[in-house]
Amino acid sequence: MKGVVEIELSKTPDNIIITREIQVVNNTSAWFINRKPATLKTVEEQIAALNIQVDNLCQFLPQDKVGEFARLSKVELLEATEKSIGPPEMYKFHCELKNFREKERELENLCKDKTNSLEKMKQRVERYKQDVERYHERKRHLDLIEMLERKRPWVEYETVRKQHEEVKQIRDQAREELKNLKGMQSPLMKKMEEIEGSFKSLDRKIRCMAGEIKEASQKCKQKKDALEMKDKQIEEINQAFRMKKDEEMDRRKKIISAHKMIEEWNDELSTVNDCENLQPQIDAVNTELKHLQGERANIESDISDVTTEKNNQEREKKRIIDRIGQLNNIMSMKEETLKGKSQDTHSALMWLRKNKDKFKRTVCEPIMLQINLKDTRHAKYIENHISANDMKAFVFESQEDMEVFLVEIRDHQKLRVNAVCAPAVSCAGNLPSRPIEELHQYGFFSYLRELFDAPLPVMSYLCSQYRIHDVPVGTEKTRNMIGKVIQETKLRQLYTAEEKYTVKVSAYTNLTFSTNVCLRAAQFLTNSVDTDERQQLEKQQQGINCKLQSLDTQLTTLFERQKHLERRDNELRQQKKELLERGNRRRQLESKIAVKYDSIKQLEQDAINLEDESQQANVKIKEINIQKARLVSELMHLIKHCVSLNILKTDLVLQSTAVDAEKNRLESEYKAASMQLRASEQNFRELDEKKRVLTENCRELLRKARQMCKMSPDQHLPKEFQTHCCKTHEIDALLNEEKSRASCFTGLNASIVEEYSKQTHEIQQLKEDLEEKKKELDNYKRNISQIKERWLNPLKSLIEKINEKFSNFFSSMQCVGEVDLHVENEEEYDKYGIRIRVKFHSSTGLQELTPYHQSGGEKSVSTMLYLMALQELNRCPFRVVDEINQGMDPVNERRVFEMVVKTACKESTSQYFLITPKLLQNLTYNDKMTVLFVYNGPYMLEANKWNLKSFCRQRRRLGRMDEQ
């Protein structure tokens, strides 16, 4: 025997058909792709290429995996979402970031270790450093002494030699300069005389030309002013004619419009009959209207009263239904909270409920389950006042019962639980030190005890242990005047809106000290339940249902009567309107026609002859244009003459400027050359004498230096003496100083230098290794920064899209939901995650989707809506959801089904498979949906006996029999 499963996957250009044959005998499977044998690995590669991820709960979600989806950590949900709808490179970048971050941490630790080792080696070397420095210092002094003694005569020689070379070079330059100056004197004089004559001739011509240009420019300006005046005259003539033309056109339009209106009013006047006495009819209509208005006002008042009452009853009914639903879930939610806080306490609670007969007196379950808050907003005050251990403690009325309980739980079952015993004399009725009314002026509104209800043993223990009957709770007003509150009330403990204050008085100085801490958020008392309240609510619900039926009957009757009165009122108002219009219209039309005829007569008297006006304007413009033509001709002649004069003047000015510059240059050169010639002759004689003296000194000093260094005449100067040479007295001072310093260094050993060199080399090697690792670390950081930007920005954009769709889905259900990127540390990429927060009840805040906070139906709804938020963004070809609606109530199941249909039937989304054993009636369907039924049961035919054609023939025969 064998079983066969076949699936066809859409792919371009040809679809893929994957077949699996399962052999029952040996429990093996054979795989085929397009009817051809294939391996499981090949099948998995084909599936992965189509972005189908069977193990991803964002694509394949069976019913038994709904809880597993809720248990997905934020990190796992992020990875599943990246794989499902993110770009192919998004999950790859995420993995690379995690790997790079791990290597970055390894490199940081390695750099830290190497840095520590380097610091230790530096400390060891530092101990040798002083002796080594002293050794090298002494050696430097001795070497310097030897070098200075040999260098001294060479310094004397070098000093004189440099002086000789400098003087020789300067003397040669002076001789050459003197020769050049003598040759330049005579040509300059001749050239200066020629330039002076040219300059005087050009200056005379320029002055003559400037007078002619000034006279021509004045004539041009006069002609331009005359032309501008003529243009202004023409524009004024045209403007005057345009104004008259516009005035005449406007007059004609007004006459035509008036005749048309008179014609329309005459037509209307012919249809209006003479006035008749309509007042009796109008009075009768007014009387009936007044009566109807009074009756309508009464009906509307009754409808408003009944509607208001019905709305109030419906709101009360909705409040009661919501409250009953909350009460049904609150106790189980409180127990889940206890289980999450302490598994041992929850186990002990289960044992106690089964063994209450073992105790003589009342045993109260953990305090957190017994406290019923009157307002959940006050939970933070209770939890900040009562310790977490006492919140999970069992309360006993007798010490004997408590010992029996602890022996069983702690000794036998090895559970760690807390238990307390209530006082023998009840403290539940203890009175506060002062009435709360006395504290209202400071912003206090209640004592802690009045914020909740609890069984007497629990209340007695809390009053005795925590004095909850005498600890007031205030508001922000209390916080703003806290100094005055502490000083005047002498309270030892108090609460403001967000802080707890503890006041103490010093036993020695009698001074008052206060401490304050911010209130922690509530963890245990986020929910509260009251059984008496539930019974009362059910009774109220029955009474409201009866009341609503009665109100609906009254409203139906009132609405019918209101519609009848509205119809009659409209008929009367229309009748009155027609009567009034018949009486007034004829007089109005006759008056309007008379006024309009008078207006036409006045307009006809004001006519303007546009043809005469146009001829007069053209004559004036023609005369002005003749004058303009004459002026333009004269102006053009003057401009041409002025341009030619300016060209000639410009040419003369340029020539004069060039001649003047050349003249000034020659005069300056001649004066400078004369002075320079005299100075050069004196300088040359002095330099020649100085060179001769220095040459003799150099020969004598060179002979002495070679003798000091024992050098032959053909040997060169040593390299150490070829460096910069100081003066002789400086060398003598250095010799004395170095000899004194060298005598101060004694008792030094050369072996320490070798050890120091060895350690220094190791440090240098370690520094290079450390620098290389730091560069490698910097490279990783750059890579992380680059990849992070390419990964994080698209991810944030993707999550914003998911959040937008997720929030819209929840809003349509009158609930609240959010999706955001959860980040604990921006550098810890393996801890990035997606956080889903939901709120199904108006009395609670947003809570993170977890296996514990929400009910099974709420988890199913949240999971389904998240998957739908991914639908339009999904890259996978299809999604499969199995029996997701099993845990939902009918209202949510219907809403979710409609959202699935609306989302999955869009053009841009992937294919959607919804598998379910049942559906609600009257659901909304779409033409793009395909419904497949799978029948199974004891009366089903075997596969080999299934014949669709035979079934159709039998059905047609039965149809004909029914017709006969």
Side-chain angles (χ1 to χ4, degrees):
M1 294 179 64
K2 67 178 181 180
V4 178
V5 180
E6 184 175 276
I7 183 171
E8 183 173 356
L9 302 176
S10 175
K11 185 180 179 182
T12 305
D14 298 320
N15 291 352
I16 298 176
I17 300 175
I18 298 177
T19 308
R20 181 184 183 184
E21 291 186 358
I22 306 173
Q23 301 293 335
V24 178
V25 178
N26 53 7
N27 193 25
T28 59
S29 296
W31 296 88
F32 301 87
I33 297 179
N34 294 333
R35 316 298 182 191
K36 297 180 181 179
T39 62
L40 176 59
K41 183 177 180 181
T42 304
V43 174
E44 291 174 345
E45 290 174 353
Q46 290 284 353
I47 292 175
L50 296 173
N51 196 33
I52 300 173
Q53 305 165 17
V54 181
D55 57 345
N56 190 339
L57 296 183
C58 291
Q59 291 189 13
F60 292 83
L61 186 67
Q63 180 190 12
D64 59 342
K65 296 288 186 177
V66 174
E68 183 176 334
F69 184 91
R71 285 192 295 272
L72 282 177
S73 68
K74 293 184 276 290
V75 175
E76 293 171 336
L77 182 58
L78 173 61
E79 292 180 353
T81 304
E82 286 178 329
K83 294 177 183 177
S84 177
I85 67 172
E89 68 275 6
M90 180 176 287
Y91 181 68
K92 174 187 172 186
F93 287 156
H94 192 180
C95 294
E96 288 180 359
L97 279 174
K98 291 189 284 187
N99 294 334
F100 282 163
R101 177 57 184 158
E102 183 64 29
K103 292 179 181 178
E104 183 185 24
R105 278 197 292 265
E106 293 176 0
L107 284 173
E108 286 175 347
N109 294 332
L110 182 60
C111 289
K112 185 177 179 181
D113 294 341
K114 286 185 176 291
T115 302
N116 292 335
S117 300
L118 180 62
E119 188 62 29
K120 291 178 181 178
M121 292 182 69
K122 286 182 177 179
Q123 292 174 0
R124 286 198 302 269
V125 169
E126 193 64 28
R127 292 195 292 268
Y128 299 117
K129 186 175 181 180
Q130 187 174 0
D131 290 341
V132 172
E133 288 178 351
R134 292 177 69 245
Y135 178 84
H136 286 303
E137 185 68 19
R138 179 175 178 273
K139 189 172 186 307
R140 283 195 297 272
H141 290 317
L142 294 175
D143 292 343
L144 185 56
I145 289 169
E146 181 183 356
M147 187 273 293
L148 289 173
E149 289 177 344
R150 298 173 61 192
K151 184 177 182 179
R152 188 178 184 283
W154 287 103
V155 170
E156 294 176 351
Y157 163 73
E158 187 65 20
T159 301
V160 176
R161 187 190 66 79
K162 286 183 177 179
Q163 294 176 1
H164 174 267
E165 291 295 330
E166 291 174 359
V167 170
K168 179 183 178 183
Q169 185 177 1
I170 294 172
R171 188 206 64 171
D172 293 342
Q173 291 176 355
R175 181 168 54 192
E176 187 66 26
E177 184 180 355
L178 180 60
K179 181 180 179 182
N180 292 334
L181 289 174
K182 289 180 179 179
M184 292 169 58
Q185 285 290 85
S186 57
L188 279 175
M189 286 294 295
K190 184 178 180 181
K191 196 169 184 182
M192 286 171 59
E193 293 173 355
E194 295 174 356
I195 290 295
E196 182 67 24
S198 298
F199 179 77
K200 290 179 179 179
S201 175
L202 289 171
D203 187 56
R204 287 193 299 270
K205 293 179 181 179
I206 289 171
R207 284 196 298 271
C208 180
M209 194 66 66
E212 295 179 11
I213 291 173
K214 183 177 180 181
E215 183 181 353
S217 298
Q218 289 177 349
K219 293 179 179 179
C220 286
K221 186 176 184 303
Q222 293 172 358
K223 299 298 181 183
K224 287 181 180 178
D225 293 341
L227 279 173
E228 291 177 358
M229 184 60 67
K230 298 300 179 183
D231 289 335
K232 290 181 180 179
Q233 292 175 1
I234 292 173
E235 181 59 29
E236 290 173 357
I237 293 170
N238 288 330
Q239 180 64 23
F241 177 72
R242 283 195 297 270
M243 291 176 64
K244 291 181 179 180
K245 184 177 180 181
D246 293 340
E247 184 180 349
E248 176 63 15
M249 294 303 294
D250 186 52
R251 186 189 68 83
R252 293 176 182 177
K253 288 179 182 178
K254 288 180 180 179
I255 292 173
I256 294 171
S257 177
H259 280 297
K260 186 176 181 181
M261 292 176 68
I262 290 171
E263 184 179 346
E264 292 175 355
W265 290 338
N266 284 326
D267 293 342
E268 185 178 354
L269 187 63
S270 63
T271 61
V272 178
N273 297 325
D274 293 336
C275 296
E276 53 184 311
N277 188 11
L278 303 175
Q279 192 60 39
Q281 300 179 38
I282 294 173
D283 293 341
V285 172
N286 286 335
T287 302
E288 188 173 356
L289 276 172
K290 185 175 181 181
H291 175 72
L292 279 176
Q293 288 173 354
E295 190 173 355
R296 285 183 64 191
N298 293 333
I299 293 293
E300 289 174 356
S301 178
D302 293 343
I303 290 175
S304 177
D305 294 341
V306 175
T307 303
T308 301
E309 178 65 19
K310 181 181 178 182
N311 292 337
N312 292 337
Q313 294 294 329
E314 287 178 344
R315 281 196 296 271
E316 183 64 15
K317 179 180 178 181
K318 184 177 183 303
R319 184 191 68 78
I320 291 171
I321 293 173
D322 292 342
R323 185 59 181 163
I324 291 174
Q326 292 175 3
L327 294 176
N328 288 337
N329 293 329
I330 285 173
M331 183 53 74
S332 59
M333 292 169 65
K334 291 178 71 174
E335 290 181 11
E336 286 296 327
T337 302
L338 174 64
K339 186 176 181 181
K341 298 295 181 182
S342 174
Q343 180 65 48
D344 288 355
T345 305
H346 186 267
S347 301
L349 174 63
M350 297 297 103
W351 180 87
L352 175 64
R353 290 178 177 175
K354 296 177 183 178
N355 298 277
K356 286 189 176 181
D357 56 333
K358 295 184 179 181
F359 304 98
K360 297 178 181 179
R361 301 186 66 180
T362 303
V363 179
C364 295
E365 295 179 357
I367 292 177
M368 64 172 288
L369 301 180
Q370 300 299 312
I371 291 178
N372 295 313
L373 292 170
K374 297 177 181 179
D375 189 340
T376 54
R377 292 175 296 180
H378 299 152
K380 59 184 178 181
Y381 303 119
I382 309 302
E383 289 195 25
N384 279 273
H385 197 71
I386 303 173
S387 69
N389 288 335
D390 275 358
M391 292 296 291
K392 297 180 287 187
F394 295 83
V395 181
F396 295 81
E397 286 190 315
S398 85
Q399 189 70 28
E400 182 181 355
D401 286 344
M402 186 173 71
E403 291 175 359
V404 172
F405 175 82
L406 293 177
V407 168
E408 173 63 28
I409 297 300
R410 290 183 178 175
D411 297 342
H412 295 167
Q413 298 189 27
K414 306 299 181 184
L415 299 176
R416 299 177 62 184
V417 298
N418 298 323
V420 297
C421 187
V425 178
S426 177
C427 299
N430 287 359
L431 296 176
S433 58
R434 71 197 81 182
I436 191 63
E437 290 78 9
E438 294 182 8
L439 300 177
H440 283 170
Q441 59 179 316
Y442 303 108
F444 294 103
F445 62 90
S446 176
Y447 287 104
L448 283 177
R449 182 176 61 184
E450 277 63 53
L451 298 180
F452 65 94
D453 296 321
L456 282 178
V458 175
M459 190 67 78
S460 177
Y461 171 77
L462 295 178
C463 287
S464 172
Q465 183 69 20
Y466 294 96
R467 295 187 59 80
I468 60 173
H469 62 283
D470 205 25
V471 178
V473 181
T475 60
E476 193 63 28
K477 177 182 177 182
T478 311
R479 172 67 181 84
N480 294 334
M481 55 188 303
I482 191 63
K484 181 179 179 182
V485 172
I486 294 173
Q487 182 180 2
E488 295 181 3
T489 62
K490 307 300 182 183
L491 293 169
R492 293 293 175 260
Q493 283 186 313
L494 59 96
Y495 287 85
T496 64
E498 297 296 337
E499 294 178 318
K500 174 183 178 181
Y501 284 81
T502 303
V503 182
K504 296 181 180 179
V505 178
S506 173
Y508 300 97
T509 62
N510 204 30
L511 294 176
T512 301
F513 301 92
S514 66
T515 58
N516 65 302
V517 294
C518 292
L519 298 181
R520 305 185 307 274
Q523 299 179 4
F524 299 95
L525 302 178
T526 53
N527 303 290
S528 183
V529 66
D530 190 342
T531 55
D532 294 336
E533 180 187 3
R534 177 183 177 133
Q535 294 175 359
Q536 186 66 25
L537 290 172
E538 290 175 347
K539 292 179 181 179
Q540 292 178 10
Q541 186 179 10
Q542 294 176 359
I544 289 173
N545 288 334
C546 295
K547 182 68 174 177
L548 285 173
Q549 291 177 358
S550 174
L551 293 174
D552 287 338
T553 303
Q554 294 180 37
L555 278 176
T556 302
T557 304
L558 291 172
F559 281 136
E560 290 176 355
R561 179 60 181 163
Q562 185 186 40
K563 289 179 182 178
H564 173 72
L565 293 176
E566 286 177 352
R567 286 194 298 271
R568 182 56 184 160
D569 183 87
N570 292 334
E571 291 172 358
L572 291 172
R573 290 183 184 278
Q574 183 62 29
Q575 184 178 352
K576 179 181 177 181
K577 181 180 178 182
E578 291 173 355
L579 291 171
L580 292 173
E581 288 178 351
R582 285 167 57 189
N584 298 330
R585 187 58 180 165
R586 183 177 186 84
R587 288 192 297 274
Q588 293 175 355
L589 291 172
E590 291 173 347
S591 175
K592 288 182 179 180
I593 290 171
V595 172
K596 191 59 69 175
Y597 272 124
D598 293 341
S599 176
I600 292 172
K601 185 177 181 180
Q602 183 63 38
L603 289 171
E604 289 175 346
Q605 292 175 0
D606 297 337
I608 298 173
N609 191 335
L610 292 178
E611 185 175 353
D612 292 345
E613 294 292 336
S614 176
Q615 290 176 358
Q616 293 175 10
N618 289 334
V619 170
K620 293 178 182 178
I621 291 172
K622 186 174 181 182
E623 293 176 357
I624 294 171
N625 283 332
I626 292 170
Q627 297 172 9
K628 280 180 65 178
R630 186 169 59 253
L631 289 172
V632 169
S633 176
E634 294 173 356
L635 178 62
M636 290 300 297
H637 177 73
L638 289 172
I639 290 173
K640 291 178 181 179
H641 180 61
C642 189
V643 169
S644 63
L645 291 175
N646 274 296
I647 292 173
L648 293 174
K649 181 186 173 184
T650 302
D651 185 51
L652 291 172
V653 170
L654 290 174
Q655 294 178 30
S656 176
T657 302
V659 170
D660 187 51
E662 182 66 17
K663 173 188 171 185
N664 293 333
R665 184 183 66 79
L666 291 174
E667 289 176 351
S668 299
E669 288 180 2
Y670 181 77
K671 291 179 181 179
S674 298
M675 294 176 62
Q676 192 175 2
L677 180 61
R678 290 191 296 271
S680 293
E681 289 175 347
Q682 180 63 28
N683 187 39
F684 176 75
R685 289 192 294 271
E686 293 174 355
L687 290 172
D688 190 58
E689 178 60 24
K690 190 175 181 179
K691 173 185 174 296
R692 185 186 62 78
V693 174
L694 288 173
T695 301
E696 294 177 356
N697 291 339
C698 280
R699 290 195 184 100
E700 181 61 24
L701 289 172
L702 179 60
R703 183 186 63 78
K704 291 180 179 179
R706 289 183 180 277
Q707 185 178 358
M708 175 64 73
C709 294
K710 300 178 181 179
M711 293 173 55
S712 61
D714 56 343
Q715 282 184 311
H716 297 289
L717 183 67
K719 291 183 179 180
E720 62 268 21
F721 298 158
Q722 294 177 7
T723 58
H724 176 69
C725 296
C726 302
K727 296 180 179 179
T728 306
H729 68 275
E730 292 177 353
I731 290 180
D732 292 340
L734 284 172
L735 276 170
N736 294 331
E737 182 181 352
E738 295 300 322
K739 288 176 181 179
S740 299
R741 290 181 177 178
S743 63
C744 296
F745 296 95
T746 57
L748 297 176
N749 190 351
S751 62
I752 196 169
V753 178
E754 296 178 2
E755 181 64 23
Y756 178 81
S757 300
K758 179 180 177 183
Q759 293 287 339
T760 305
H761 178 71
E762 292 178 359
I763 288 174
Q764 184 62 31
Q765 186 64 38
L766 187 56
K767 284 182 178 178
E768 293 175 358
D769 293 344
L770 180 59
E771 188 65 28
E772 183 179 348
K773 294 299 179 184
K774 286 183 178 179
K775 289 181 181 178
E776 188 176 353
L777 178 61
D778 291 340
N779 288 335
Y780 272 108
K781 288 182 177 179
R782 283 194 295 272
N783 290 338
I784 288 174
S785 177
Q786 294 171 359
I787 295 176
K788 179 181 179 180
E789 183 177 356
R790 297 168 64 189
W791 169 71
L792 189 56
N793 292 339
L795 176 61
K796 287 181 178 178
S797 175
L798 184 65
I799 293 178
E800 287 176 0
K801 294 177 182 177
I802 297 173
N803 178 55
E804 180 182 355
K805 297 181 182 299
F806 188 73
S807 299
N808 292 339
F809 288 144
F810 261 83
S811 297
S812 66
M813 298 177 64
Q814 288 77 47
C815 299
V816 181
E818 289 184 359
V819 177
D820 60 7
L821 181 64
H822 180 74
V823 181
E824 294 179 1
N825 184 344
E826 289 190 1
E827 303 300 327
E828 301 298 330
Y829 304 105
D830 55 345
K831 295 182 181 179
Y832 276 63
I834 289 180
R835 178 174 61 180
I836 300 176
R837 296 192 296 166
V838 295
K839 183 175 82 170
F840 288 90
H841 309 289
S842 60
S843 60
T844 62
L846 282 170
Q847 293 182 335
E848 188 173 339
L849 181 65
T850 66
Y852 313 110
H853 287 161
Q854 290 78 23
S855 65
E858 290 172 346
K859 286 186 284 189
S860 297
V861 171
S862 302
T863 302
M864 197 67 180
L865 295 185
Y866 183 78
L867 294 180
M868 284 193 292
L870 305 182
Q871 176 72 12
E872 296 184 22
L873 307 173
N874 208 344
R875 296 187 298 104
C876 65
F878 61 88
R879 180 184 285 115
V880 179
V881 180
D882 181 18
E883 300 188 17
I884 191 67
N885 57 336
Q886 289 301 95
M888 301 182 192
D889 60 82
V891 174
N892 284 335
E893 182 178 352
R894 184 176 299 279
R895 289 174 176 172
V896 170
F897 185 84
E898 290 175 355
M899 292 181 195
V900 171
V901 172
K902 182 178 178 181
T903 304
C905 292
K906 293 182 179 179
E907 293 293 337
S908 59
T909 59
S910 57
Q911 194 172 2
Y912 203 99
F913 291 91
L914 175 64
I915 303 173
T916 178
K918 57 92 177 178
L919 287 173
L920 297 175
Q921 296 181 355
N922 300 321
L923 290 174
T924 302
Y925 294 91
N926 190 292
D927 293 340
K928 297 180 180 179
M929 296 173 59
T930 300
V931 182
L932 301 177
F933 294 93
V934 178
Y935 296 97
N936 198 5
Y939 302 105
M940 285 296 297
L941 288 176
E942 297 180 5
N944 56 3
K945 296 181 180 180
W946 184 269
N947 190 327
L948 182 60
K949 293 181 179 179
S950 174
F951 296 154
C952 294
R953 288 195 300 272
Q954 184 178 358
R955 183 67 188 90
R956 285 195 290 270
R957 286 198 301 272
L958 291 173
R960 287 194 294 271
M961 293 173 62
D962 292 339
E963 292 175 358
Q964 294 174 0

